[in-house]
Amino acid sequence: MVFFDDLNYRAIGSVGHASLFSPHNDRGFDSCNHDWDGALIMAGAGIPAQGYIAHSQITDIAPTVLTLMNQAIDPSMAGKSLL
């Protein structure tokens, strides 16, 4: 992840523009497309609506996906399922 100007700019995720970053699109702390703390949004069958999950980490994503796929989580894997 690259942070430009303390999140005042973001990298453009598409191609064909005159610049690599944009001062006019998604600027600042919007808690949506980029944020210091990140965001995880899941929806679907078997996924309860939980809202904010305190003490979650990025390492919890893989165990969560494995749980959704009914796969075993290796005990040496970092993180925990959020479900």
Side-chain angles (χ1 to χ4, degrees):
M1 180 61 75
V2 178
F3 299 108
F4 296 106
D5 191 29
D6 200 28
L7 292 182
N8 288 312
Y9 295 91
R10 75 171 182 92
I12 296 175
S14 56
V15 297
H17 301 280
S19 177
L20 295 177
F21 59 90
S22 174
H24 305 293
N25 186 13
D26 299 328
R27 292 182 71 174
F29 295 96
D30 57 10
S31 297
C32 181
N33 139 324
H34 61 278
D35 188 70
W36 285 118
D37 296 323
L40 169 65
I41 300 169
M42 297 189 309
I47 301 173
Q50 297 185 50
Y52 177 79
I53 302 173
H55 308 293
S56 57
Q57 302 287 323
I58 195 166
T59 55
D60 298 334
I61 293 174
T64 302
V65 170
L66 289 170
T67 297
L68 288 168
M69 296 173 62
N70 295 315
Q71 298 296 308
I73 300 170
D74 188 303
S76 66
M77 180 179 277
K80 64 187 181 310
S81 176
L82 300 173
L83 300 174

